[in-house]
Amino acid sequence: MCGIIGVIGPVSMNVSPLLIEGLKRLEYRGYDSAGIATLSARGDLLCRRSEGKLSTLEREIHNSPIEGHTGIGHTRWATHGRPTRNNAHPHTTSKVAVVHNGIIENFRELRARLEADGRLLTSDTDTEVIPHLITQFLDEGMGPESAVAKTLRLLQGTFALAILFAGREQFLIAARRGSPLAIGHGNKGMYVGSDAVALAPFTSRISYLEDGDMAQIRSTGVTIWDENSQQVTRTVRKSEYSGALLGKDGYRHYMLKEINEQPSVLATSLNKYVDTSQNTFRLPKFPFNPMTIPHITLVACGTSHYAGMIGKYWLEKYAHVPVSLDIASEFRYRDSPLSKKGLSLFISQSGETADTLAALRFAREHSQHIMSIVNVNESTMALASDTVLLTMAGAEIGVASTKAFTTQLIVLACLMLEFAKARNIMDDSERGEIIAALMQLPALAMNALAYEETMRKLARDIMNASDVLYIGRGTSYPVALEGALKLKELTYIHAEGIAAGELKHGPIALIDDQVPVIALAPPDNLFEKTCSNIQEVSARGGKVIALCGKEGAKTLSDIAWKTVVMPESHPLLAPFIYAIPLQLLAYHVAIAKGNDVDQPRNLAKSVTVE
């Protein structure tokens, strides 16, 4: 969740501006404090830290500059200890500076041991034990590599580390267990970062450390040892990210840019996976026969979980394959029994989500076929999977997921159709009809974007509400959940997605004339049922905003407070088309309330800690 950058530059270069540039590219991950440390010409460690945004750190450095041609930087999302300057990274002693992503689970025990030895720790963080342990071992006469290796053996939990040493020019040590870390190979230096986005300004040549790796990084290259202390090499790959700082292309926020990119990325995804001339798909070859898969276990978190819920509906309805859906943080602790030779499918935008990765490893241990749907081809999840289905969303900078969600749905739809064909469930005529419908998605998404002004006006109607309910049936239920999540993330209004048929089982008690209810009522086989639920809400004074088809609007115009007539489409496409206006609604409520849209409070883009 935090961001790491490390730079070994030429001796003539001050790395402080490079560290700040790398940290700016990591802002999208979410953070609440930041800092950098460099090695001075005299060999001393210099450090500047601040709470809040990078602009505050930049002012700190402007007022009190630091120089050096080797340095590390960090953006912190608080876990242990409040987001204060004292808890910001890097954490230092006179000999060591450390930046850390992850959680050290046994830090209290280690802290007590260090304090018993007379060492003074001044922060509330779990991280601070690391530089003090390394320093203790350096004081005992160990070299940097041995001191770090011994420290790593004492740590329980997850970490990605970049470590700077006093008196050691053009030298860093990096290590990872559970949290991602990449090494950048440049023409004029070496780099370390928590992802390829941070390293893109400096180099396009990236290698990824694997779990248990420790790396010694010098200006001339890198030496890596695995968890068994054996020297290894890791493949150097070309990064897909541009060296230019990702821009907003004239949009006010990254989120609005990414909402508007959906017609384009949906078209790119369809071009990658669909061969319309043959009514077939260009999916990777499966190392299993879909006909013999007895069960699919689908695991994800947050928005990806709601995409998975829609995928479950599709796979069961159209491909007749049983699917169980789990939130990763629950699945990993339930010791779930898994079908012999079943398929476990994991969905994650970043491919680094800690709970989902833990679930993947559990499934691997239980001899499952492992498939992942990710947006980052070199992510830990992708590298750990038998089959990878890559979404074509491109870099998503806004913390609240938009285009990643709809491209995940494209992949799930293609997967469903491939399973339906392999299991002889769907004939060529129905298959061709659905493929033809899918090819209309970019145009339909463009039509959905035209509802922005409507959503802007509705935003003013609901911006002062304390509670907002979203209701739907079938695949509109997970879209309701996703719409409520977007409103919560961006506006801090309490919002809840409810299966419309569940209203009478308790939630209808919440209804009054102060609670807006956003009802998703596409023209499908469940419309009449949803319409009845809308009538129940309206009868109790609820202000219903109904998103529906043209014919549905005729029925609901006398019942709902307001109706929004959505474009007509094949029922399978409704989740795509109805999700986009809900994204725009959440965005414009946040704007009306003056909130930070791209970096909502308390949130991080890539959840790499439990």
Side-chain angles (χ1 to χ4, degrees), residues 132-145:
H132 281 275
L133 286 168
I134 296 171
T135 299
Q136 186 175 62
F137 298 137
L138 291 173
D139 290 344
E140 294 173 3
M142 292 185 183
E145 296 87 349

Side-chain angles (χ1 to χ4, degrees), residues 301-351:
C301 299
T303 289
S304 296
H305 179 257
Y306 300 145
M309 186 180 296
I310 294 168
K312 169 184 166 69
Y313 284 27
W314 287 343
L315 284 160
E316 292 186 336
K317 177 177 180 177
Y318 293 103
H320 293 188
V321 54
V323 179
S324 61
L325 177 71
D326 262 288
I327 296 170
S329 56
E330 292 296 315
F331 173 84
R332 64 179 292 192
Y333 293 114
R334 209 172 61 248
D335 200 19
S336 304
L338 297 174
S339 301
K340 187 176 182 181
K341 296 185 178 179
L343 172 64
S344 289
L345 173 58
F346 302 91
I347 309 176
S348 168
Q349 186 278 141
S350 68

Side-chain angles (χ1 to χ4, degrees), residues 26-289:
L26 290 167
E27 284 189 290
Y28 78 99
R29 296 169 69 97
Y31 71 106
D32 39 42
S33 62
I36 66 170
T38 62
L39 188 67
S40 74
R42 299 190 308 273
D44 299 324
L45 295 174
L46 306 175
C47 186
R48 299 290 182 268
R49 303 182 293 176
S50 71
E51 60 184 276
K53 298 298 185 183
L54 277 175
S55 56
T56 307
L57 178 63
E58 288 184 284
R59 288 195 296 271
E60 176 83 12
I61 294 170
H62 176 78
N63 294 332
S64 182
I66 58 174
E67 295 186 352
H69 50 259
T70 305
I72 55 178
H74 192 264
T75 52
R76 175 179 185 253
W77 186 86
T79 53
H80 295 77
R82 294 176 59 81
T84 63
R85 179 175 179 172
N86 193 49
N87 288 331
H89 296 211
H91 287 285
T92 65
T93 67
S94 61
K95 295 185 177 182
V96 177
V98 171
V99 291
H100 166 224
N101 293 351
I103 292 178
I104 305 305
E105 295 172 354
N106 62 332
F107 82 97
R108 292 181 180 83
E109 169 193 333
L110 296 172
R111 183 181 182 114
R113 166 181 158 176
L114 288 163
E115 290 175 336
D117 290 339
R119 297 192 176 268
L120 178 64
L121 281 72
T122 59
S123 80
D124 303 315
T125 71
D126 55 330
T127 301
E128 194 183 5
V129 300
I130 300 172
H132 281 275
L133 286 168
I134 296 171
T135 299
Q136 186 175 62
F137 298 137
L138 291 173
D139 290 344
E140 294 173 3
M142 292 185 183
E145 296 87 349
S146 298
V148 172
K150 186 169 183 179
T151 297
L152 298 184
R153 290 193 290 271
L154 294 175
L155 303 180
Q156 297 173 13
T158 60
F159 52 77
L161 301 170
I163 308 166
L164 182 66
F165 295 84
R168 299 297 297 262
E169 294 187 351
Q170 296 191 305
F171 179 86
L172 293 171
I173 288 180
R176 69 154 291 187
R177 183 197 299 157
S179 292
L181 204 60
I183 307 296
H185 304 255
N187 295 325
K188 297 182 179 180
M190 292 291 293
Y191 310 90
V192 59
S194 44
D195 62 30
V197 173
L199 301 182
F202 316 121
T203 181
S204 62
R205 299 175 61 241
I206 306 292
S207 57
Y208 291 86
L209 297 184
E210 296 185 7
D211 250 13
D213 283 356
M214 184 180 83
Q216 177 199 87
I217 307 167
R218 298 180 180 274
S219 60
T220 53
V222 59
T223 303
I224 302 173
W225 295 271
D226 66 13
E227 60 185 347
N228 298 315
S229 301
Q230 299 298 307
Q231 190 168 326
V232 294
T233 58
R234 300 300 181 207
T235 303
V236 179
R237 300 175 171 87
K238 185 174 177 60
S239 170
E240 64 187 48
Y241 292 107
S242 164
L245 190 63
L246 295 168
K248 298 175 186 174
D249 294 344
Y251 289 97
R252 185 176 176 184
H253 297 95
Y254 282 111
M255 182 183 178
L256 186 59
K257 170 178 176 272
E258 289 155 7
I259 290 172
N260 279 274
E261 286 175 339
Q262 286 174 107
S264 173
V265 297
L266 290 173
T268 301
S269 299
L270 289 165
N271 289 335
K272 177 179 175 64
Y273 287 116
V274 181
D275 182 349
T276 54
S277 64
Q278 302 293 324
N279 273 353
T280 58
F281 295 92
R282 306 185 190 98
L283 297 177
K285 184 175 177 58
F286 300 153
F288 55 83
N289 181 355

Side-chain angles (χ1 to χ4, degrees), residues 339-591:
S339 301
K340 187 176 182 181
K341 296 185 178 179
L343 172 64
S344 289
L345 173 58
F346 302 91
I347 309 176
S348 168
Q349 186 278 141
S350 68
E352 304 293 350
T353 309
D355 288 315
T356 310
L357 270 169
L360 185 154
R361 295 180 183 115
F362 175 86
R364 172 72 71 195
E365 291 167 1
H366 288 77
S367 304
Q368 297 286 287
H369 299 291
I370 305 297
M371 180 182 288
S372 63
I373 297 175
V374 296
N375 196 40
V376 183
N377 201 29
E378 301 298 334
S379 61
T380 305
M381 195 175 298
L383 296 174
S385 299
D386 302 319
T387 307
V388 179
L389 301 178
L390 186 65
T391 58
M392 304 302 292
E396 189 178 68
I397 304 301
V399 168
S401 183
T402 53
K403 61 179 180 172
F405 174 68
T406 49
T407 53
Q408 287 169 352
L409 293 182
I410 282 282
V411 173
L412 286 163
C414 294
L415 180 66
M416 171 273 290
L417 287 166
E418 191 73 358
F419 263 73
K421 178 184 178 182
R423 296 166 75 91
N424 297 316
I425 303 300
M426 186 182 294
D427 61 32
D428 290 343
S429 175
E430 184 180 6
R431 178 183 171 86
E433 178 187 344
I434 293 177
I435 290 174
L438 285 171
M439 299 310 294
Q440 298 301 311
L441 257 179
L444 288 167
M446 188 68 74
N447 290 342
L449 289 171
Y451 288 79
E452 181 172 4
E453 185 57 32
T454 300
M455 294 300 117
R456 190 198 314 269
K457 292 176 181 176
L458 288 174
R460 291 195 289 269
D461 291 327
I462 71 171
M463 63 177 288
N464 294 317
S466 299
D467 306 275
V468 178
L469 303 183
Y470 291 67
I471 64 172
R473 284 177 176 264
T475 55
S476 292
Y477 168 43
V479 176
L481 290 166
E482 171 61 9
L485 177 61
K486 286 292 155 285
L487 197 72
K488 280 183 280 196
E489 288 177 312
L490 298 175
T491 73
Y492 321 138
I493 294 172
H494 171 254
E496 188 174 348
I498 300 169
E502 282 293 293
L503 278 170
K504 293 187 291 293
H505 298 279
I508 202 166
L510 298 171
I511 301 298
D512 62 29
D513 60 5
Q514 300 301 308
V515 179
V517 178
I518 297 171
L520 308 181
D524 55 21
N525 63 324
L526 295 170
F527 172 76
E528 295 299 334
K529 296 289 187 184
T530 306
C531 187
S532 295
N533 299 132
I534 292 171
Q535 288 178 314
E536 292 163 356
V537 171
S538 181
R540 288 156 179 82
K543 290 184 174 180
V544 178
I545 300 169
L547 277 62
C548 56
K550 184 177 180 180
E551 291 302 314
K554 294 177 182 177
T555 303
L556 293 171
S557 60
D558 293 332
I559 305 169
W561 179 44
K562 297 189 177 181
T563 58
V564 179
V565 180
M566 300 295 296
E568 302 288 342
S569 70
H570 189 286
L572 185 130
L573 305 188
F576 298 92
I577 298 164
Y578 283 64
I580 291 173
L582 298 186
Q583 295 167 357
L584 289 166
L585 178 63
Y587 172 82
H588 282 292
V589 175
I591 292 297

